[in-house]
Amino acid sequence: MNTRRDLIKQGALLAGLLAGVLPLQAGAAEALAKSAFDAKTLDELYKALGLGKPVESKEVQLSAPDIAENGAVVPVTIASGAANVVRMLVLVEKNPSVLTASFDVSPAVEAAFQTRVKMGQTSNLYAVAITADKKVLFAQKEVKVTLGGCGG
Amino acid sequence: MADPMRIRAQALNGNVVVKVLMQHEMETGQRKDANGKTIPAWHITDVSASLNGTPVFSAQWGPAVSKNPFLQFTIKGGKAGDKVSVQWVDNLGNKRVDEATVV
Amino acid sequence: MSKTALAIAGVMAGVIALIGAPALAQKSTSDGIAEYRAMLADGNPAELFEAKGEELWKTPRGPKGASLERCDLGKGAGVVKGAFVELPRYFGDTGRVQDLESRLLSCMETLQGFDAKAIAATPFGKGEQTNLEALVAYISAESRGMKFNLPQTHTAEKLMYAAGKKIFYFRGGPYDFACATCHGEDGKRIRLQDLPALYKNPGDAVGFASWPAYRVSSGELWGMQRRLNDCYRQQRFPYPGYASDATIALATYMGVNSKGAVSSAPALKR
Amino acid sequence: MKTVHLISAAAGLAIVAGCATQAMGPSEAEATAAADAMIKSSFREQGIAKLDRLEQDAVQKACSSDKPPTADVSAKIEAEQMATVKWPTNGQYLGDWKEGEKLAQNGRGMTWTDPAGAKSGGNCYNCHQISKAEISFGTIGPSLYQYGRLRGVSDPASAQSEPIVKYTWGKIYNAKAYSACSNMPRFGHVGVLDEDQIRDIMALLLDPKSPVNAE
């Protein structure tokens, strides 16, 4: 299906994006401050990342189950259609550390990721998209963590 | 040495969808063993991927990513036959790199 | 221009595919749990164990430095495909009805020179037991999608089934529990977990036809031996020996009852 | 060594059985004998779970089949079990429903991984719906939501409430007194729960202030 010409065009497009718009990965946003993983609250986290006030946005999508049969594995899908997203975060409000995972959004990947996280208890889950001009957009959802099995 | 990852890289609508399973304990450092001693943290901190040798993806993880982590991301462009390689590094300095061919 | 538009459409399609349909406002608890399981269906970490098990099967190991490739799982030496859905079965060389785990122990002893009794006495998740878990993941995966069809021709197989039924209904311990207490009726739950009725065929990929499985609660791969062991722990019984006759009899009972059920092993469980 | 010996004994039994009943499979007696031998050979003690847990009493023996015992046998068992029920020594049936809720949630105790002397939980939510707030409940037993309200218990200490209060105590203490082969453990009779714990669970079910009975 793909002709050589298409591929060259696509490759050139990609290279152009990489070279022109944003330097790759770590450079895109500055490297994630490692102290971010020590943040106990959402406020602490945004402070550690030097970010302003987050805004709930329809440009961020978060998919997670309403109920988790086991808090050890909660599937989470995040995505954003906002312009110039450079980083996406998965946060669990009531975990000992709120930041669970950070994904660099280089021009070579879509701003859409799926992973699985641990939740110690029923909590709000956040998907956060950070743009090149430091806008902080988020979506949230409560996930109920249930007691399973025989409880023994 | 850590066991190999399972990487599936599939060409779809001009993109490559990559699904990865990694074998790792992802110990939080918050749990205690039967004798009440804290089990030290041991988890993946950095994940990165490249397409045909060119870096395309990176992520930083804390200990709350689930044990034996699953990750899915989508590389723009790419085609069947391309090589996707994925690497992880953990907080103890262990490393694992595996490669898959896009189908 | 059109290329760009197409690329954007592609991106959006990808995003929508990742996110899935919007959640309905009103959902029952069981719908919620079903949704949770569906989200985990793709990317079962059991795959990691399958890969390790295949490697182990083919690797020369043990005092005799042999692989397991000549192990007879019931369909002839070295035949893995389809073997799992016909176990437990009678083996002439050992004179026993054996399940997958006990048969693997026999092969590890005779072919590789391992001490089967020492491995059976090793706690779950330690030493050679972790290798056994990987092996059962690999071997069961080679029968994924096939239907259970345990042989019931040999007298010993029939006796195992009949004894297994007795053991299934055997009540004991401080709580008076039998297997049948939880698995004797349709449509029951313990907490939020569905309990398959195991005195009959509970259906494709349910009950016996869904083990071995990756347990998300512990991040481990459990074979039927470990599943039964933890059932007996929760029943407040004493400790069933690994690959002991009572466990094999129960597996025979459940396996024969599951005749025709499609195996989804290794599955993914809470 | 012991295991190997017993396994070959079972295999030997199989061969003997085979001579007599090739087509039909083993007789009832042969199956029972084989199962008994396997239960003896297959289990070992671990932690607090000793082998005496395999010694069945009359209830367990009568209820270990896919068929229920006859009405006569059931009636006899129920009468015997009723005689074991110890009513509260201080005449007080209800304790603290908040403690009762904790016990109902707690499924621990009596397994080979539990320490000796540890108090057990009530395991209630494993099998029953109880308070509305807990969505993770089992369905092996009936729903107990609104337990007291549905039975018209507005004052558990009243004479009017006495029959249902006593029934509930007896049921928790020894469920087999009311249904010979009930799936429910005999919590008081076997000492899984002590008197105070039963009082707290009673309060969870019967105290009008308990969330179980909330309007």
Side-chain angles (χ1 to χ4, degrees):
Chain A
M1 293 291 210
N2 276 327
T3 63
R4 175 174 287 270
R5 182 186 288 256
D6 283 339
L7 288 170
I8 290 166
K9 262 168 89 176
Q10 224 169 30
L13 179 71
L14 204 64
L17 281 171
L18 290 175
V21 183
L22 290 163
L24 191 71
Q25 41 170 346
E30 55 270 34
L32 186 83
K34 286 289 176 187
S35 64
F37 284 105
D38 299 328
K40 305 277 177 255
T41 65
L42 296 174
D43 286 347
E44 267 181 48
L45 174 72
Y46 293 128
K47 216 166 138 191
L49 294 175
L51 295 170
K53 198 176 152 52
V55 181
E56 189 152 13
S57 168
K58 286 202 162 60
E59 289 186 301
V60 180
Q61 288 92 41
L62 166 64
S63 170
D66 296 348
I67 302 173
E69 207 174 2
N70 196 293
V73 178
V74 180
V76 183
T77 301
I78 59 172
S80 178
N84 299 322
V85 173
V86 292
R87 174 170 287 155
M88 291 199 74
L89 311 175
V90 177
L91 314 179
V92 181
E93 187 170 15
K94 289 192 184 164
N95 272 4
S97 302
V98 293
L99 177 58
T100 304
S102 168
F103 301 93
D104 299 325
V105 184
S106 81
V109 295
E110 289 187 2
F113 308 97
Q114 190 176 334
T115 189
R116 296 166 185 170
V117 304
K118 298 171 198 162
M119 293 180 64
Q121 57 182 310
T122 296
S123 168
N124 270 333
L125 198 65
Y126 292 84
V128 178
I130 302 165
T131 64
D133 54 352
K134 294 220 164 185
K135 272 196 295 215
V136 185
L137 311 172
F138 74 90
Q140 62 175 317
K141 174 179 176 131
E142 188 190 57
V143 176
K144 278 200 174 70
V145 174
T146 61
L147 270 176
C150 313
Chain B
M1 199 189 70
D3 285 337
M5 283 176 249
R6 301 286 285 172
I7 305 171
R8 273 183 293 162
Q10 203 174 10
L12 195 72
N13 303 324
N15 289 333
V16 173
V17 177
V18 184
K19 297 177 184 185
V20 191
L21 280 165
M22 309 167 205
Q23 204 255 312
H24 204 284
E25 284 298 315
M26 300 302 288
E27 190 61 59
T28 59
Q30 313 249 357
R31 299 197 309 156
K32 290 188 174 20
D33 66 14
N35 304 319
K37 244 181 69 183
T38 300
I39 305 170
W42 179 32
H43 62 89
I44 291 172
T45 54
D46 293 276
V47 183
S48 56
S50 58
L51 180 70
N52 299 325
T54 306
V56 290
F57 167 81
S58 54
Q60 300 81 40
W61 286 359
V65 171
S66 301
K67 179 174 176 177
N68 296 328
F70 173 77
L71 167 69
Q72 181 177 330
F73 60 95
T74 303
I75 303 172
K76 296 178 185 171
K79 60 182 187 309
D82 284 355
K83 303 279 187 208
V84 172
S85 86
V86 180
Q87 169 177 284
W88 58 252
V89 179
D90 71 21
N91 65 323
L92 303 183
N94 302 304
K95 232 183 244 190
R96 174 89 213 178
V97 188
D98 290 284
E99 190 178 72
T101 303
V102 178
V103 294
Chain C
M1 192 64 201
S2 67
K3 198 115 229 153
T4 315
L6 203 68
I8 289 168
V11 169
M12 287 320 289
V15 169
I16 290 160
L18 267 174
I19 294 291
L24 297 167
Q26 286 295 319
K27 253 184 303 198
S28 72
T29 303
S30 56
D31 288 348
I33 293 292
E35 178 193 64
Y36 169 80
R37 290 179 190 157
M39 284 180 176
L40 289 175
D42 194 16
N44 182 349
E47 277 183 39
L48 297 164
F49 295 82
E50 292 168 32
K52 186 181 167 196
E54 183 172 6
E55 183 79 25
L56 279 164
W57 180 261
K58 294 172 177 167
T59 306
R61 294 190 331 120
K64 294 187 184 175
S67 80
L68 287 167
E69 286 166 304
R70 293 193 48 75
C71 177
D72 182 357
L73 296 171
K75 297 181 79 72
V79 180
V80 178
K81 196 151 206 70
F84 176 69
V85 289
E86 294 179 15
L87 288 169
R89 73 188 305 154
Y90 179 78
F91 288 88
D93 57 354
T94 54
R96 285 184 72 191
V97 175
Q98 296 185 286
D99 66 351
L100 176 54
E101 286 98 322
S102 73
R103 188 61 189 168
L104 278 170
L105 283 180
S106 296
C107 286
M108 288 168 81
E109 184 157 270
T110 53
L111 297 174
Q112 300 183 308
F114 283 109
D115 180 350
K117 233 179 288 173
I119 297 173
T122 303
F124 290 109
K126 301 259 190 306
E128 281 297 325
Q129 279 286 346
T130 60
N131 290 334
L132 272 170
E133 285 164 4
L135 284 165
V136 300
Y138 160 61
I139 293 161
S140 61
E142 288 291 299
S143 291
R144 191 186 271 123
M146 297 172 79
K147 288 179 175 163
F148 275 95
N149 187 24
L150 271 63
Q152 275 285 288
T153 45
H154 195 280
T155 6
E157 290 166 347
K158 289 180 190 161
L159 184 67
M160 263 324 205
Y161 177 85
K165 181 176 178 181
K166 296 272 175 203
I167 295 168
F168 182 79
Y169 286 98
F170 183 92
R171 296 180 81 155
Y175 289 9
D176 306 327
F177 287 160
C179 306
T181 309
C182 284
H183 297 285
E185 265 184 88
D186 270 322
K188 298 292 180 186
R189 288 193 334 220
I190 191 155
R191 286 281 185 166
L192 279 176
Q193 274 66 55
D194 294 322
L195 295 163
L198 298 173
Y199 64 89
K200 58 169 191 176
N201 180 358
D204 292 344
V206 181
F208 192 77
S210 64
W211 295 92
Y214 180 81
R215 291 279 307 237
V216 302
S217 45
S218 62
E220 294 166 315
L221 196 291
W222 284 21
M224 184 45 65
Q225 279 293 328
R226 190 159 186 186
R227 172 62 277 177
L228 289 177
N229 183 277
D230 202 57
C231 281
Y232 271 124
R233 186 180 70 84
Q234 306 268 20
Q235 273 173 251
R236 276 74 181 176
F237 269 51
Y239 195 98
Y242 188 88
S244 60
D245 273 2
T247 60
I248 295 168
L250 276 171
T252 305
Y253 177 64
M254 293 186 288
V256 171
N257 289 344
S258 297
K259 186 181 173 76
V262 173
S263 173
S264 63
L268 185 86
K269 300 272 184 180
R270 179 188 72 78
Chain D
M1 200 55 215
K2 189 178 164 201
T3 319
V4 170
H5 178 72
L6 283 157
I7 286 161
S8 54
L13 187 63
I15 289 154
V16 173
C19 300
T21 53
Q22 195 69 51
M24 298 179 301
S27 71
E28 187 66 15
E30 286 162 346
T32 303
D36 287 349
M38 286 180 201
I39 287 166
K40 278 205 178 68
S41 69
S42 295
F43 291 86
R44 62 173 166 80
E45 66 172 53
Q46 172 94 348
I48 58 171
K50 308 294 183 199
L51 286 172
D52 61 4
R53 294 189 178 189
L54 298 173
E55 287 162 21
Q56 294 180 309
D57 74 351
V59 173
Q60 293 174 339
K61 210 167 266 170
C63 301
S64 285
S65 150
D66 55 340
K67 312 226 173 19
T70 62
D72 287 356
V73 172
S74 293
K76 183 168 174 280
I77 286 173
E78 285 161 17
E80 284 167 3
Q81 295 299 307
M82 188 58 90
T84 71
V85 176
K86 289 201 186 79
W87 306 100
T89 43
N90 58 2
Q92 200 64 39
Y93 281 89
L94 266 62
D96 178 354
W97 67 262
K98 292 193 189 79
E99 289 304 310
E101 168 70 16
K102 285 185 211 162
L103 283 165
Q105 291 281 0
N106 183 349
R108 294 191 181 278
M110 294 280 194
T111 75
W112 67 64
T113 48
D114 290 307
K119 279 204 176 186
S120 297
N123 285 275
C124 313
Y125 280 105
N126 285 342
C127 299
H128 297 281
Q129 180 180 33
I130 309 175
S131 77
K132 195 82 176 170
E134 180 52 84
I135 57 164
S136 180
F137 59 85
T139 59
I140 296 171
S143 172
L144 303 175
Y145 178 59
Q146 303 272 285
Y147 182 87
R149 171 175 295 274
L150 288 174
R151 288 159 181 79
V153 179
S154 50
D155 173 13
S158 69
Q160 194 197 355
S161 299
E162 195 187 326
I164 192 66
V165 168
K166 284 195 79 168
Y167 162 79
T168 307
W169 181 277
K171 183 80 185 175
I172 297 170
Y173 195 94
N174 188 340
K176 274 71 174 182
Y178 304 86
S179 172
C181 294
S182 167
N183 284 326
M184 186 164 154
R186 295 171 278 180
F187 289 105
H189 177 56
V190 295
V192 173
L193 297 175
D194 63 27
E195 242 185 51
D196 283 337
Q197 290 177 307
I198 297 176
R199 268 191 275 271
D200 291 338
I201 293 169
M202 289 284 289
L204 179 66
L205 297 176
L206 290 163
D207 190 330
K209 293 189 290 292
S210 159
V212 168
N213 297 315
E215 271 188 75

